[in-house]
Amino acid sequence: MLRDSSRSRVLFAVLVAAALVLMVLDSRPGNDAVTSLARAGGEIAFVPASAGVGVFAEPVGRFYDGLRKSHESAARIAELETANAELRAELDSTRIDEHRSEQLDELLHLSGLGGYEIVPAQSVTRTTAHGYAHTATLDAGTESGIRKDMTVLNGSGLVGRIVEAGPRTSTVKLATDVNSSVGARLEGTRKIGSITGGSVLGGPEADMTLELFDMEAPIEKGDRVVTLGSHEGAPFVPGVPIGTVDDVQVAPGALSRIARITPAVDFAALDMVGVVVKGPAEDPRDSVLPPKPDPKGDQ
């Protein structure tokens, strides 16, 4: 590196003057010997300097190009990540829509078999408001014709009953609530009982418990139960699948037989439901139940 001295300043002035002379000579036409010699001398003087500048500028240029390309690559990667996120969101939305479409088909199939007129709704929240241990909020209310004490079901069976209804939302007390009680009937018989949410005193741990009033009534594991139906269909319409008998026992001194019930509905995955705004013209009996699995097919 040149130091800032009178000698360096003189050298710099000489180089500038020489450059100007070369520019003038280079602009003159012809192959004059004097000008040719001057050109040659200038090249001898300036080529090492230009080479030095080139050696210094080349890595700087590469660094700049790399920096520019790295910024472009980062921007491109960010664009691709954003596009992938949008595609994933669309795919997830499509899957959800397909799942809800399937649930709606099952719901319409069940309501058609039972002759139930329904208003479809979506379970948007699970709450514990107003002291209810098991409740859900639906995104439909009185503006859709929903009223208190209407039956709620999905494509698998009984969900519960409406306990509150606002203009655009309503609250369902689920059939698994400990304060829920539903009149029930054994499939293929006239034997009746009551299903309550949770366990009963002296009974097994359960999501639902059936108390069958007839102590002599035959009942065994695998038997299915449906809603008995209430007066004028409120709060429960008849024939809706409730669940399957999982275990049977008789408590000492009891006046009824007790059975643990596995619910027909998966309450942990509650989504699309239907509120029955008008019950069937007649009791559908067991026609809403799905066909029983063929025992031979399991072998």
Side-chain angles (χ1 to χ4, degrees):
M1 181 178 291
L2 295 175
R3 296 179 180 175
D4 188 13
S5 63
S6 59
R7 182 180 179 183
S8 62
R9 286 194 291 271
V10 170
L11 180 58
F12 178 75
V14 170
L15 289 175
V16 171
L20 292 173
V21 170
L22 285 175
M23 290 174 61
V24 172
L25 292 174
D26 193 59
S27 64
R28 296 182 62 182
N31 296 317
D32 183 81
V34 177
T35 57
S36 298
L37 182 60
R39 290 193 192 99
E43 290 175 358
I44 292 172
F46 281 95
V47 164
S50 64
V53 172
V55 170
F56 172 75
E58 184 176 356
V60 174
R62 286 201 302 268
F63 173 76
Y64 174 76
D65 288 341
L67 188 62
R68 177 178 56 81
K69 290 179 180 178
S70 67
H71 284 307
E72 291 175 353
S73 298
R76 180 58 178 160
I77 290 171
E79 290 177 3
L80 291 173
E81 288 178 346
T82 300
N84 287 339
E86 291 175 354
L87 288 174
R88 282 194 297 269
E90 290 178 5
L91 182 59
D92 291 342
S93 177
T94 300
R95 288 173 178 168
I96 292 172
D97 289 342
E98 289 177 353
H99 178 63
R100 287 175 179 164
S101 178
E102 292 174 0
Q103 288 191 329
L104 183 58
D105 287 342
E106 294 172 356
L107 173 61
L108 294 175
H109 176 70
L110 184 145
S111 60
L113 289 176
Y116 312 126
E117 184 177 328
I118 65 168
V119 170
Q122 184 181 347
S123 175
V124 292
T125 60
R126 292 285 297 273
T127 66
T128 57
H130 307 292
Y132 302 137
H134 293 267
T135 62
T137 300
L138 308 184
D139 63 353
T142 55
E143 291 181 357
S144 301
I146 295 175
R147 300 288 183 272
K148 186 178 177 181
D149 285 336
M150 286 183 169
T151 308
V152 182
L153 45 79
N154 70 2
S156 299
L158 181 69
V159 172
R161 67 184 179 91
I162 299 293
V163 290
E164 288 184 6
R168 297 183 181 179
T169 61
S170 51
T171 303
V172 184
K173 179 188 286 188
L174 305 181
T176 52
D177 187 280
V178 294
N179 295 315
S180 173
S181 181
V182 185
R185 178 180 57 78
L186 279 175
E187 174 187 9
T189 73
R190 293 185 178 277
K191 302 303 180 180
I192 63 174
S194 175
I195 285 186
T196 57
S199 304
V200 297
L201 184 63
E205 290 292 325
D207 291 323
M208 291 179 177
T209 301
L210 168 66
E211 292 185 82
L212 198 61
F213 300 145
D214 186 349
M215 289 287 292
E216 304 300 324
I219 181 174
E220 58 185 21
K221 183 177 180 178
D223 287 347
R224 298 182 293 184
V225 290
V226 298
T227 53
L228 177 64
S230 308
H231 177 65
E232 296 183 351
F236 298 107
V237 294
V240 181
I242 300 175
T244 304
V245 174
D246 184 55
D247 182 44
V248 182
Q249 61 181 250
V250 178
L255 300 177
S256 60
R257 302 183 73 181
I258 298 173
R260 180 171 59 210
I261 301 297
T262 299
V265 170
D266 182 0
F267 288 95
L270 203 59
D271 192 2
M272 292 298 300
V273 300
V275 181
V276 182
V277 293
K278 186 177 181 181
E282 58 184 29
D283 190 342
R285 300 293 296 171
D286 301 330
S287 63
V288 183
L289 288 167
K292 275 192 172 181
D294 186 357
K296 295 181 180 180
D298 297 337
Q299 296 179 355

